[in-house]
Amino acid sequence: MTTQVLIVGAGPTGLMAANQLNRFGIDFIIIDSKSGPTVESRAIAVTARSLEIYQQLGLSKTVVENGIKMNSFNLFSEGHPKAEIKIGEIGKGMTDFPYLLAYEQSDNESLLYENLKKDRKNVQWKTEFVSLKEDETGIIVLAKKNNEIFEIKAEYLIGCDGAKSLIRHQLNFNFHGGTYENKFFVADVIMNWKLPHNNLVIAPSDTNFVGFFPLKGDRYFRVLGTLPRAYFNKKNINFKDIEKEVIKTIGIPIDFEKMNWFSIYNLHHRCVDNFSSGRVHLAGDSAHIHSPAGGQGMNTGLQDAYNIAWKLAFVLNKQAKTDLLNTYNEERLPFAQWLMRFTDRMFNIMTNDNWFAAKFRKYVVVNLVGKVFTFEKIRPILFRRVSQIWYHYNGKSLSFSSSKQKLLFYAGDRLPYISDAHLTAPFYELFTEPTFHLLHLSNELLKPEMNENIKETFPFPIKIIEYPLTESWKKLGVNKELFVLVRPDNYIAYLSDFFLEAEIENYLSRYFYSNSKI
């Protein structure tokens, strides 16, 4: 078997990589040792930034219609509500998806898999990765199916094979970090209680913490928390054993009617120090694992795949130099490292059971959180963080600006969200082609000969989008003509007040071929 890209692992990250490569017409093979998409719910939160990726794929409507919008975030202590934070459309004006959405990992996988099958693409299920070797021409992977070993030859490999990644082990990637002292449990249950279904509820106590997250179905919840220390060394624990502890922690009556999935596990926090080695690129849990605080894990993997896929496509289509692939680690590693620190802090606040930390959590944090969310200026900042729309590639080598205007956005930022009244469709839906877009902000259209000159300057197809200088742009500092080069993943590559052919060619020359060299 021969292909351009081999993807190992068909979880959300691997399936997103496959969908993105498919957009660019890149041939791929995707393998997984499972028999099909994940059945358990596992990760449940889908951030606004991930929904924007789904929007580009034409799938966001399905996700929103089948997900659950969380109305409020509630903190309980000793059976009493300490804070009710109304979520609603907390991110209004920042995205087409200004809410917190629960959409289970199993649903994400099924959606992405079905989207591949529409284009007659498939996953090689029940196929195990065995080993790999690399030379100057590509990668040869040994895989096993039905107890038979066979070869897959590929130019590049994306490793999405999870926290226990064989690829990461075989290539000796460093995987720095450790394991949390506590043990944790997770259960998907049907239950009855007095609280509304579409609320997220967290209940910390002196010794434990428990959280309730709504799943699809009126009484269906994900329950997770710290395992009581009395159970650390016990074997064959089931949810029935700890039901009383869960109820005691939140302090209100609950009738657990049915348990659909239960697991006890240790949590790790680890990250590689480079996402890439030669022709191999890691993504998702194979590159970074951390606590579930903030619902960031699955979403980060989706965005890893989003980043590496378009870069591989441009290299394989002979439009970009292989050096472009170095920007994958440059851009994604800092986010993974930030995420480790962010989730560690959040998780330690909620789970640390030493005397001081427990009292601090119970008497300070619980009361402080509710007050913080009452400040209107704080709410959008928190939403930007949790939704991942804040993250940028400012100062990275693909980001360049020569604009003299005092803009409130920069090269490397996610493209600003615009919601002008004249738009007949969401602004981001103007940027769905699998290529770069050149956004021309001006009240005068480009002349036809200028359009042709622009298209001839770029070594790849480019879509030109004309957009007037509306009040929305003026509020962002755009007071005159501006050219915004938008990457295929909707981050800003380049900003200029003029279209200067020589400047554009100089910008492109580092990572892209000129037209004469294609």
Side-chain angles (χ1 to χ4, degrees):
M1 301 175 73
T2 302
T3 189
Q4 290 178 293
V5 180
L6 172 63
I7 303 167
V8 179
T13 302
L15 288 166
M16 177 58 77
N19 274 270
Q20 292 296 332
L21 291 173
N22 191 45
R23 289 179 65 227
F24 288 91
I26 298 300
D27 185 55
F28 65 88
I29 292 172
I30 177 169
I31 66 173
D32 196 293
S33 59
K34 303 192 304 291
S35 59
T38 299
V39 176
E40 300 90 358
S41 60
R42 298 189 183 273
I44 56 175
V46 178
T47 65
R49 187 69 191 114
S50 294
L51 285 165
E52 289 170 356
I53 301 175
Y54 278 125
Q55 183 180 36
Q56 196 177 50
L57 288 168
L59 300 174
S60 58
K61 184 178 180 181
T62 300
V63 178
V64 173
E65 286 179 351
N66 291 280
I68 297 174
K69 296 176 185 178
M70 300 185 197
N71 284 343
S72 68
F73 170 54
N74 298 263
L75 278 171
F76 270 71
S77 180
E78 296 181 330
H80 300 289
K82 293 294 183 180
E84 181 181 11
I85 298 136
K86 296 294 184 182
I87 299 173
E89 296 193 343
I90 187 174
K92 190 172 183 179
M94 291 184 277
T95 175
D96 288 317
F97 311 101
Y99 33 75
L100 298 183
L101 190 78
Y103 187 69
E104 302 164 25
Q105 178 176 329
S106 54
D107 290 331
N108 281 268
E109 291 186 20
S110 294
L111 178 66
L112 290 167
Y113 180 43
E114 291 301 319
N115 199 53
L116 284 179
K117 291 200 293 183
K118 286 179 184 176
D119 283 343
R120 299 184 180 181
K121 306 293 182 181
N122 217 320
V123 176
Q124 300 295 320
W125 300 111
K126 298 182 181 178
T127 304
E128 298 177 38
F129 168 87
V130 178
S131 64
L132 69 83
K133 59 182 179 179
E134 179 181 341
D135 58 29
E136 64 278 3
T137 62
I139 289 171
I140 299 176
V141 165
L142 292 182
K144 182 169 72 171
K145 186 170 187 176
N146 298 326
N147 292 320
E148 292 187 9
I149 302 288
F150 63 96
E151 278 189 355
I152 304 174
K153 295 181 180 179
E155 294 182 59
Y156 293 96
L157 184 150
I158 307 177
C160 309
D161 52 337
K164 297 180 180 179
S165 171
L166 289 176
I167 294 168
R168 188 186 64 238
H169 282 291
Q170 287 190 18
L171 295 181
N172 294 315
F173 280 85
N174 288 320
F175 203 40
H176 304 292
T179 303
Y180 291 106
E181 179 185 358
N182 302 74
K183 287 189 176 182
F184 303 88
F185 72 86
V186 59
D188 288 352
V189 301
I190 296 174
M191 58 183 237
N192 298 295
W193 66 351
K194 64 182 181 181
L195 301 180
H197 175 255
N198 53 355
N199 288 358
L200 190 162
V201 178
I202 300 292
S205 73
D206 285 354
T207 55
N208 302 319
F209 108 96
V210 65
F212 299 81
F213 300 81
L215 299 176
K216 190 176 180 180
D218 289 342
R219 296 177 293 118
Y220 198 19
F221 282 84
R222 159 72 53 81
V223 184
L224 57 82
T226 46
L227 187 71
R229 284 190 174 273
Y231 292 87
F232 272 24
N233 297 315
K234 293 186 178 181
K235 295 182 179 181
N236 301 319
I237 300 170
N238 59 48
F239 187 66
K240 278 285 184 186
D241 296 325
I242 62 170
E243 276 185 12
K244 291 182 179 178
E245 294 286 350
V246 171
I247 296 169
K248 180 181 176 182
T249 300
I250 189 170
I252 62 174
I254 303 174
D255 173 29
F256 292 106
E257 186 176 311
K258 183 181 179 183
M259 190 272 294
N260 291 332
W261 177 53
F262 177 70
S263 181
I264 294 170
Y265 57 99
N266 291 105
L267 272 176
H268 308 276
H269 47 114
R270 297 182 183 275
C271 184
V272 296
D273 52 18
N274 197 317
F275 275 44
S276 304
S277 174
R279 292 173 175 268
V280 175
H281 306 279
L282 302 181
D285 287 353
S286 63
H288 45 79
I289 52 176
H290 40 80
S291 86
Q296 304 288 295
M298 177 177 67
N299 297 281
T300 303
L302 294 177
Q303 291 162 61
D304 290 343
Y306 193 42
N307 189 292
I308 187 59
W310 78 261
K311 294 172 181 177
L312 281 171
F314 272 69
V315 169
L316 288 164
N317 285 332
K318 310 301 182 189
Q319 296 162 333
K321 304 171 186 177
T322 56
D323 287 350
L324 177 64
L325 301 178
N326 296 334
T327 67
Y328 173 54
N329 181 70
E330 180 192 18
E331 293 181 345
R332 295 308 298 167
L333 179 61
F335 182 78
Q337 292 171 333
W338 169 83
L339 186 59
M340 291 273 289
R341 296 189 297 271
F342 173 71
T343 56
D344 269 357
R345 285 194 293 267
M346 288 182 65
F347 210 63
N348 281 325
I349 287 172
M350 296 305 295
T351 63
N352 195 316
D353 59 1
N354 74 49
W355 180 86
F356 177 78
K359 297 300 180 186
F360 180 77
R361 178 173 61 240
K362 183 175 179 179
Y363 295 108
V364 178
V365 174
V366 169
N367 293 313
L368 185 62
V369 168
K371 291 178 181 178
V372 166
F373 269 86
T374 63
F375 295 106
E376 288 302 317
K377 291 183 178 180
I378 297 293
R379 288 165 61 85
I381 293 172
L382 293 172
F383 176 81
R384 283 174 59 83
R385 289 278 166 169
V386 173
S387 66
Q388 298 188 348
I389 63 174
W390 71 276
Y391 190 63
H392 56 77
Y393 303 132
N394 302 161
K396 307 303 182 187
S397 55
L398 272 176
S399 307
F400 177 78
S401 175
S402 64
S403 174
K404 302 302 181 184
Q405 300 185 60
K406 294 181 180 179
L407 304 174
L408 298 183
F409 56 94
Y410 308 94
D413 281 355
R414 161 185 167 266
L415 181 67
Y417 172 76
I418 301 296
S419 56
D420 286 328
H422 77 272
L423 288 168
T424 57
F427 178 65
Y428 277 10
E429 291 188 6
L430 298 173
F431 303 86
T432 58
E433 296 294 321
T435 190
F436 280 75
H437 297 72
L438 186 66
L439 175 63
H440 177 231
L441 296 172
S442 175
N443 291 327
E444 295 185 12
L445 301 179
L446 294 168
K447 294 179 180 179
E449 57 268 27
M450 185 62 171
N451 266 281
E452 288 306 310
N453 183 46
I454 289 173
K455 291 178 180 179
E456 290 174 2
T457 302
F458 288 90
F460 42 77
I462 186 159
K463 183 177 179 180
I464 300 172
I465 296 173
E466 299 277 12
Y467 202 95
L469 280 177
T470 61
E471 284 301 312
S472 296
W473 287 108
K474 290 177 181 178
K475 288 178 181 178
L476 293 171
V478 186
N479 293 309
K480 60 180 182 179
E481 185 177 40
L482 184 70
F483 290 89
V484 184
L485 183 62
V486 183
R487 298 167 18 161
D489 56 2
N490 284 0
Y491 286 89
I492 298 171
Y494 168 89
L495 291 166
S496 181
D497 299 329
F498 310 96
F499 187 84
L500 302 173
E501 186 175 337
E503 186 176 88
I504 287 281
E505 289 178 342
N506 184 57
Y507 165 78
L508 293 171
S509 65
R510 183 172 182 183
Y511 292 116
F512 300 90
Y513 293 119
S514 66
N515 276 320
S516 61
K517 293 183 179 179
I518 297 177

